[in-house]
Amino acid sequence: METLILLGLFYGPSLIESAADPIDGYIATTALPDTDCEPLTIEAARRVAPDEVPPPSARGDYFDRRAVICRERLMPRGVRRSADDAILSTLRHTAEEMAGLVDALAAHRDRVWMVEAFHPDPTVTYKIAFAVKNALLERDLRVSDRAPSLAAADIEVLGRLPAAKAWPLACKRYVATGSLGPDRALLAVALRDPRATVLHAGLCVDGVWRWLR
Amino acid sequence: MRRTNSRRRTFYAAALACLLATGCVTVYQPMSGLHRPIAIDPAYANFAGMRFTLECRRGRDDVLGEDEARDLCRKLTRVFENQGAEVETDVLGGEPGPADEAPRAAPNRLHVQLTPRLIDQRTLNVLWLPFWTVRTEYTFAQDISIRDASSFLLVRDTLTGRFVRRLGFSSDAEEEFSRDFYGQLSQLALNAKLRHDVLREPVEAPPAAAPPAATPPGEAPTPEAPPPEPAEPPPPEPAAAPEPVAPPPPPEAP
């Protein structure tokens, strides 16, 4: 009997404390697989989930509270390639940041924006272009569904050049062939290295190329 | 009498086992930043020819002791050197301040700054006895910023995790945390390097604001101010537009 009491004293508080813990809890409803968790302050938690976090009592809060918000991942781990998962999981934030950079270019705000994405995977390429176009539209910028094109010979020449020369030359060729008119501008979003998890944004306006981020 | 002695021995053995088992398992939970997927493989020479300066800070109120900060810098140095980089380290106290935004004396280096923070810490004791802890958990954050030699901020991120030290029997928390932490840091360093390379590429001057004057047909349009070309031959002039074909004469009246 004393042994049981001793075991209860040692292990009981730990078991009670960890019952609803997201990492090693043993209550199935709280131990969610494939979740991304982050700690929050109590005030932030009240804003995010006011029904889950009660307001403090008028006489003060006698408990030491903390909040951890866990969101179930849209896609379980391992379904997508890690590199694609890293880019797509932050795509919304990346697209909004790029749209913000474009929006800050007051001199070119009246142009029609064309968006082109460069990524090894066609599905990811489409998603990147779609997200960036949506982000530009949300900022009341004019966006075209078309993309500028180059002749096959131009593409062959550009493919043999180093990246630092290819992008500016491609921009000049877009304008020279009339594919990118004077009232239009091109926002190119590219993955420069297969090991990277960030996208780079470049601007082609009037035949002049520069990187934004 | 024998049964009483036997029960007493069992009791003492159980007490000793419980005492020895206190806090022998660490469980690790990756949080924001640490759970992000990575594309880089730290087993390859991803940073060949690169130079880094690692600044391992001890954080506010010395969250990390000097030995711990030095140990962290030593391990991270090995992680980057295994990937082909040349690394210098610096262990500093406190948190970064305005002086860290001044240009650095060491050019051609990326400066990686790590600042730890303790977000939350709590302990659970048996019968509220302060010396008899059965569960300890703490949530930490590592603020990482990577700047170039001119102190231009290339990458900034925060890696957050949680450790729970409780009674149990087995765990591989250290290996999982090391894999996540070193992987995320390598990924951030590679992203910073790519951003640094991209932003250093030469930038062309924009063309003149006024549009070129209208030219009569038959003459090739010439730009008013040709943009400077960095080490490239001037672009070939476009071929002259063909002369307009004169319309055929109207048929003569019968």
Side-chain angles (χ1 to χ4, degrees), chain A residues 2 6 10 13 17-18 21 23-24 37 39 64 66 77 82 172 192 195-197 208 211 213, chain B residues 15 29 31-32 35 38 46 122 124 132 135 137 162 166-167 187 191 194-195 198 201 204 207 229:
Chain A
E2 293 87 354
L6 200 64
F10 270 92
E17 181 76 13
S18 62
D21 196 300
I23 49 172
D24 61 346
C37 300
D64 182 18
R66 61 195 171 111
R77 291 182 205 279
S82 298
K172 286 186 173 52
R192 291 283 300 259
R195 300 166 299 171
T197 55
V208 177
W211 289 104
R213 80 184 283 270
Chain B
Q29 179 185 13
M31 290 188 165
S32 52
H35 56 54
I38 61 173
N46 299 298
R122 59 181 55 204
L124 189 64
W132 213 338
R135 180 184 167 99
E137 64 173 272
R162 178 169 162 247
R166 60 169 174 77
L167 300 175
Q187 187 69 72
N191 291 345
L194 290 172
R195 185 162 287 171
V198 161
E201 287 178 5
E204 292 181 350
E229 297 275 344

Side-chain angles (χ1 to χ4, degrees), chain A residues 127-176:
Chain A
K127 289 181 179 181
I128 292 170
F130 187 79
V132 173
K133 286 177 189 172
N134 270 345
L136 291 172
L137 284 170
E138 284 174 6
R139 289 186 175 259
D140 295 329
L141 293 166
R142 293 190 294 164
V143 180
S144 169
D145 265 342
R146 297 172 56 195
S149 58
L150 289 172
D154 287 334
I155 294 173
E156 189 176 344
V157 169
L158 292 169
R160 296 179 187 177
L161 293 174
K165 292 185 177 180
W167 291 98
L169 189 57
C171 178
K172 286 186 173 52
R173 291 303 300 159
Y174 282 137
V175 173

Side-chain angles (χ1 to χ4, degrees), chain B residues 52-232:
Chain B
F52 289 99
T53 300
L54 288 180
E55 287 182 8
C56 300
R57 290 192 171 264
R58 292 161 58 183
R60 186 187 295 181
D61 300 330
D62 287 342
V63 168
L64 280 184
E66 186 158 351
D67 289 342
E68 289 172 322
R70 209 179 297 279
D71 199 31
L72 173 65
C73 254
R74 184 178 54 80
K75 290 178 181 176
L76 289 176
T77 299
R78 189 166 301 169
V79 168
F80 283 109
E81 284 178 347
N82 287 345
Q83 298 182 70
E86 186 183 313
V87 183
E88 281 184 5
T89 61
D90 203 1
V91 176
L92 301 171
E95 294 179 301
D100 295 287
E101 297 181 6
R104 308 302 176 107
N108 300 324
R109 281 184 177 269
L110 293 185
H111 299 268
V112 183
Q113 206 170 57
L114 297 106
T115 309
R117 279 185 293 129
L118 186 63
I119 296 176
D120 182 60
Q121 181 177 2
R122 59 181 55 204
T123 57
L124 189 64
N125 300 331
V126 174
L127 297 177
W128 298 279
L129 297 170
F131 56 85
W132 213 338
T133 302
V134 292
R135 180 184 167 99
T136 305
E137 64 173 272
Y138 56 96
T139 306
F140 67 92
Q142 183 79 254
D143 297 321
I144 297 168
S145 63
I146 304 179
R147 298 174 183 270
D148 64 6
S150 64
S151 280
F152 179 81
L153 182 64
L154 297 168
V155 159
R156 174 175 281 167
D157 203 356
T158 299
L159 305 180
T160 309
R162 178 169 162 247
F163 284 112
V164 176
R165 195 165 172 78
R166 60 169 174 77
L167 300 175
F169 295 99
S170 67
S171 78
D172 53 357
E174 286 186 12
E175 290 177 11
E176 287 182 14
F177 171 66
S178 297
R179 185 191 64 218
D180 288 347
F181 186 68
Y182 297 151
Q184 291 297 335
L185 203 57
S186 302
Q187 187 69 72
L188 290 173
L190 181 71
N191 291 345
K193 182 224 176 217
L194 290 172
R195 185 162 287 171
H196 176 62
D197 292 343
V198 161
L199 294 177
R200 276 196 339 174
E201 287 178 5
V203 178
E204 292 181 350
T215 54
E219 287 187 15
T222 55
E224 289 183 272
E229 297 275 344
E232 274 188 30

